[in-house]
Amino acid sequence: MSIVEVKVPQLSESVAEATMLTWKKKAGEAVAVDEILIEIETDKVVLEVPAPSAGVLAEIVQPDGATVVADQLIAKIDTEGKASAAAPAAAPAAAPAPAAAPAAAAAAAAGGSKSDVAMPAAAKLLADNNLKTSDVAGTGKDGRVTKGDVLGAVASGAKPAATVAAPAAKPALPQVAAPASAPDLGERPEQRVPMSRLRARIAERLLQSQSTNAILTTFNEVNMAPVMELRKRFQDSFTKEHGVKLGFMSFFVKAAVHALKKYPVINASVDGNDILYHGYFDIGIAVGSPRGLVVPILRNADQMSFADIEKKIAEYGKKAQDGKLGIEEMTGGTFSISNGGTFGSMLSTPIINPPQSAILGVHATKDRAVVENGQIVIRPMNYLAMSYDHRIIDGREAVLGLVAMKEALEDPSRLLFDI
């Protein structure tokens, strides 16, 4: 027997520990070199753990949901072993692992059967949500229910078979199942779900931002007609030339960089009692993902073309949805842009992303009545909001910076001549 150890990959300096998600292989199953064995969630990203060698997964040392640190042993691979067809089937009922007995008990409590078994982490979730294994379609080997299956069922509104449906006039609360501890809640169900590491980290940073920054927000409105006309005029040729659509975000990024060059303090940050001015423009783009809000960075945005920006944003959006963003892609940044308009937001006061000192909030563009030259006209208007740290940015710089963005968007030719 030749054993190769599988360990937790190196984490970033700011990350102390991580959480094991769901094993994609079971003990006794064959694995190929570089095949993904499990994903590990930190408070920033989800890391994939590939198999360092081909062979058989001899032992799973750390189960689903375990808290681990960098370089910790989580599994062992026998490079000379052969997969046993019976091994995976026997694993849930076997007694070697201490968690097997509790898991079986939890599965029994959840209504599982010998041929319809839930994995240990899944069994606990089933019990917590008062579900039976028959309520969830299993995707694991031999139809076993995994943790991911239960989470997906809960998210889609799965309910216990015995639960009485709410009257049609009062639809049940979506994505909620009555907890086992209080089975008779009538029409007022509740569900307690622990925060993911990323969500907890987001909460921590938002509270940190509000408690350490003197946040103030200034607003302005921008007529998006010039940008919309320019975009419509060149969309087809732009897409044909660069293989990506010309969106609005590249205009906002260019306008922001234009303003930051004029007013460098907006691109600065606080370091103790010092103001740290950055001679580069790394723009964070807030992106929604299944795990929560992430802010990947467009590095040296001032040196990027419209096509470069659009391609990078598309790449980050895909990675965010797939959970593939790396720590280095979300580290740093000197200014951020949050586009709530994607979801229909009319106005908001964005919270600064530490250690940055300002953030631009972009909202939905809507036709509105405005006054031009004494006449009421209809224009596609967008409300911009810039939150800034008043400790280092005075109202004058903040207001003029936002005005510079407005002017660049209402007359995009300014971006060509840097005026």
Side-chain angles (χ1 to χ4, degrees), residues 12-74:
S12 68
E13 294 182 359
S14 60
V15 176
E17 58 186 21
T19 299
M20 304 274 288
L21 296 183
T22 304
W23 280 98
K24 301 181 183 297
K25 290 287 186 177
K26 301 179 181 66
E29 290 187 334
V31 298
V33 63
D34 291 332
E35 182 177 4
I36 302 304
L37 299 178
I38 191 170
E39 293 175 336
I40 298 179
E41 181 186 41
T42 73
D43 57 16
K44 293 184 177 180
V45 296
V46 173
L47 303 174
E48 294 180 332
V49 180
S53 300
V56 172
L57 189 58
E59 180 184 358
I60 293 177
V61 179
Q62 295 296 332
D64 297 350
T67 298
V68 294
V69 297
D71 207 35
Q72 181 174 346
L73 176 66
I74 57 175

Side-chain angles (χ1 to χ4, degrees), residues 206-333:
L206 292 178
L207 288 174
Q208 173 194 351
S209 179
Q210 291 190 311
S211 65
T212 59
N213 295 329
I215 301 179
L216 190 61
T217 306
T218 183
F219 305 92
N220 214 320
E221 59 181 5
V222 56
N223 178 4
M224 293 295 291
V227 168
M228 294 173 71
E229 292 169 3
L230 194 63
R231 180 172 176 264
K232 181 178 180 180
R233 178 182 174 187
F234 292 104
Q235 181 66 275
D236 291 342
S237 55
F238 185 91
T239 304
K240 183 178 180 180
E241 178 69 23
H242 301 291
V244 65
K245 288 186 177 181
L246 177 60
F248 291 111
M249 186 55 74
S250 52
F251 286 94
F252 289 118
V253 171
K254 285 289 188 180
V257 171
H258 171 76
L260 298 180
K261 287 182 177 179
K262 285 179 171 290
Y263 305 98
V265 70
I266 303 176
N267 195 50
S269 59
V270 176
D271 185 9
N273 290 324
D274 299 328
I275 300 176
L276 184 59
Y277 287 89
H278 306 291
Y280 48 90
F281 303 88
D282 290 351
I283 309 299
I285 305 295
V287 177
S289 77
R291 297 175 59 242
L293 186 70
V294 292
V295 188
I297 310 298
L298 298 176
R299 305 208 182 272
N300 299 313
D302 57 316
Q303 300 174 26
M304 300 177 73
S305 66
F306 279 81
D308 292 335
I309 294 172
E310 293 295 348
K311 289 177 181 178
K312 203 65 179 177
I313 290 176
E315 176 189 332
Y316 283 154
K318 180 66 167 59
K319 284 187 174 182
Q321 290 302 312
D322 296 340
K324 305 296 186 183
L325 282 171
I327 293 176
E328 68 283 352
E329 293 173 311
M330 295 189 290
T331 303

Side-chain angles (χ1 to χ4, degrees), residues 148-202:
D149 296 332
V150 182
L151 292 175
V154 172
S156 63
K159 294 180 177 297
T163 300
V164 178
K170 296 180 181 179
L173 186 67
Q175 300 183 5
V176 176
S181 57
D184 187 15
L185 292 177
E187 300 173 11
R188 296 167 58 82
E190 293 180 346
Q191 179 185 4
R192 184 182 297 273
V193 179
M195 288 187 185
S196 66
R197 284 186 175 274
L198 175 62
R199 175 55 58 189
R201 180 58 173 164
I202 290 172

Side-chain angles (χ1 to χ4, degrees), residues 323-349:
K324 305 296 186 183
L325 282 171
I327 293 176
E328 68 283 352
E329 293 173 311
M330 295 189 290
T331 303
T334 60
F335 184 83
S336 290
I337 301 176
S338 176
N339 186 6
T342 301
F343 309 104
S345 172
M346 183 185 75
L347 196 62
S348 67
T349 54

